[in-house]
Amino acid sequence: MLKTHSRCDLACDHCYVYEHADTSWRGRPRAVSQEILAAAAARIAEHALLHRLPTVHVVLHGGEPLLAGPALLRRAAEELGRALDGISALDLRIHTNGVLLDEEFCELFRELGVRVGISLDGDRESNDRHRRYADGRSSHAKVLDAVALLSRPRYRELFAGLLCTIDIENDPVAVHDALVALGPPRIDFLLPHATWDTPPPRPAGRPTPYADWLDAVYRRWDAAGRPVPVRTFESVHRTLRGGSSLTESLGLAPADLVVIETDGAYEQADSLKTAYDGAPATGLNVFEHSLDDVLRHPGMLARQKGIEALCAQCTACPVVESCGGGLYAHRYRTANGFDNPSVFCPDLLALITRIRTYEQIPEDAHTRPHEATAHAAVGEAAEMAEHPLEPGDFDELAAGFGGAATVRRLALAQLDLNRDLLAAVGGRVRDSDRRAMAAWELLVDLDADAPQALEAALAHPYFRPWALRVLGDDTRSAPATGLAELAAAAALRARRADAVTVPLRAGTLRLPGIGRALLPGDAEEAEVTAESYGFTVRSGGQRLRMGWGDGLDGRTPYWQPVRLFEADGWTVALEDTDPLRDRYEWPVADRLPAPGARAWAQGLAIAWSLMQRQLTAYAPGIAAGLRVVTPLTPRPGCHTSATCRDAFGAVAAARPSDPDLLALLIVHEFQHVKLGAVLDVCDLYDPEDHSHYYAPWRDDPRPLDGLLQGAYAHLAVTDFWRVRRSTAEGPAARERAQTEFARWRQQTTDAIDTLARSGSLTAHGKRFVAAMGETAAAWRAEQVPPRALTGARDAARRHRDAWRARNAPRG
């Protein structure tokens, strides 16, 4: 933690820096000097080189670090980047109250790769209880502006999450709902800082008020489908199963945090400021002492001993492996220092015990090494994948729609399934396969150290088709190539400097979701290492430096990054690099030249604008769940689009000349994506029904699954033309929309009726199809010109007659 400024523009009354026991801030410089920045960076690089650290994590902090200003923050980032170049990857973050965050700061952080965490205690009433200006003004609106800025597509990748300090006077459900509504990538709930000398408030008659508060949040979070990762709850889940904690407040992992103050002094964790005046001090500084000197400080050594450092009451506790004695600062009592349980001990015991009961985790799960390793590799069990969707989600999707929250929960369920598949693939790794074993061990390590990076790599739509193909291979081996590609992509996303050896595919280095490198020469493998500017590829005796992206201009000679299209509220990858993307009936397009990529970007911009304005029931779900568009080779004379059943989050299409039709193709194909995800968690029909049925839009009979998929997709097609009746420009276009609406309404209604009469729907399937029918029935009452209505009915009758003649039994 590198302090860039020692003062703050808010006067939060629960702040441990200014309002608790320690007063050292009064004698420190307001801003860190350039001399101290250079010395600190040199010490960090010295330590990283000596200990061969793959990644160094630095948080710019305060006070309020944004008070340091853009120029000084740039200097801090550049000093660190220069010092660590070629030594370790730099994971650089900043934690701020957000009130000063603006586009200038965001552009700076985007350029330098700085991720931003925001402090926010919930809704306005909850936040204003403590987080106010010195004159009493509310800071809430300013913080919401900061979160909104970070939520823009351009800056979304910078958003690290929200940090909320608990106050039991606040409504836990209101706090949860207010934070989740902002769509952060992660939330962390912190207990208020307190010691046995200054204990936290405890209302009479409530022995565990903080456990009760967090329990209410947990149950709300769980009932909502766990829409956002919560670090506190994830850490309890992991430690109960023998894994590592994601926070120093839980678990038995050694402390690894050092603070560098604005005067260059090394200190222990900032939270110790709540214990007594001078508690975090070490007496060491960046000019005279190394970080190894800090590690030898008695206060640091005391926090490296795990369970041996805990008091007798803690070591005898049934949840000590998960609790870890709680936050070190919370154990302090004047009489005997830190040789006590946490002042929140009853709350931690109650909360962890309740979560263990909710999750049905055996009490001895942490003592099972093999099982713990498997859980560390694949994450939490896919509970959502084993049960039907929540009723509200199910009904919303069955009606043909699905908002952002619902689709995000579908995506989380898909991620759980991908984790299970990765575990199954990992189970095939043989000890003798050194390449596969090295990649697998790195994936296990990444899941513990950088789970968000691994999840981002696992969410790439073409991971699952690869994994299923591996698991369907009778050789029962795990290909080292795919595992190494996944590990390299996750390590790069985590900005970790692990040197990952990746086998090449005919001279191509595949980094799923990131891009590909077409390497010169005839080498069979490449070594990939993250750097501050991007990454390095070593292959065939060459060392190639590559940046993260080249936009749409295509100027990089070897490196072809995945191009990202960003619009208001939607970021989607134009995937024309992945060698495994060819999962469709029609061939995928080769790498698009720069003009073709720009044409796609323009078409997507117009299509997205139309979806936002005219297809408001579909656009939020698409923004939440559609991550990849894969260009297909154009087919003369027709519009081509497709989905792959196992590639959640991706659609494929040949770009039509009319962007409005591109919007139609996207909406239509994303219906298949949603329905596929529903079918992964809920059976809608009897798989033993091998009959084929009439589909009004096809010349051949369709299996029940094909009829269901078609009817569901054509709900969106019908709705598209329904809206176009009033939005299309010109009489001819509106007349066409009337005709198309009448035709697709007739065909979709007929297909839904066939599904309902099939006799092969499960109870959930009947409910799903009934909801589809209700949507179509509401449209059936809408008036269309008689000519369009008659034409639709006549066309349907002719098609059915021709179908019967074509498919009638012969002889």
Side-chain angles (χ1 to χ4, degrees), residues 22 60 75 86 268 274 291 343 389 397 588 631 676 693 728:
D22 188 78
L60 305 178
R75 180 64 179 264
Q268 301 174 68
T274 199
L291 281 164
V343 73
L389 292 165
L397 290 162
V588 297
Y693 297 85

Side-chain angles (χ1 to χ4, degrees), residues 158-170:
L158 305 179
F159 196 3
L162 298 175
L163 184 147
C164 170
T165 300
I166 296 166
D167 187 320
I168 55 175
E169 295 299 318
N170 291 332

Side-chain angles (χ1 to χ4, degrees), residues 726-800:
S726 57
T727 60
E729 295 183 4
R734 287 194 290 272
E735 182 178 356
R736 183 197 174 193
Q738 292 282 13
T739 301
E740 293 289 349
F741 170 62
R743 177 167 72 96
W744 287 109
R745 180 180 66 177
Q746 182 72 48
Q747 292 181 353
T748 305
T749 299
D750 289 348
I752 292 171
D753 290 344
T754 302
L755 288 166
R757 294 193 305 267
S758 69
S760 295
L761 299 178
T762 64
H764 290 298
K766 291 177 181 177
R767 182 169 143 205
F768 196 91
V769 170
M772 290 170 59
E774 289 176 5
T775 298
W779 296 339
R780 195 179 303 174
E782 295 186 14
Q783 296 294 316
V784 296
R787 184 169 63 175
L789 183 61
T790 301
R793 289 173 177 169
D794 290 346
R797 184 175 62 254
R798 289 194 301 271
H799 185 274
R800 182 179 288 274

Side-chain angles (χ1 to χ4, degrees), residues 157 453 455-463 485-486 488-490 492-493 509-516 535 548-549 559-564 571-581 591 627-628:
E157 65 179 15
E455 288 171 0
L458 280 177
H460 183 55
Y462 301 117
F463 163 77
E485 290 168 340
L486 183 69
L492 289 179
R493 290 178 183 276
L509 169 65
R510 172 181 178 260
L511 296 171
I514 298 175
R516 71 182 180 189
F535 59 97
W548 286 110
W559 174 234
Q560 296 180 345
V562 173
R563 291 141 163 166
L564 291 181
T571 301
V572 66
L574 197 61
E575 178 58 273
D576 57 0
T577 67
D578 195 330
L580 303 187
R581 72 191 186 280
R591 173 71 169 182
R627 303 185 186 93
V628 166

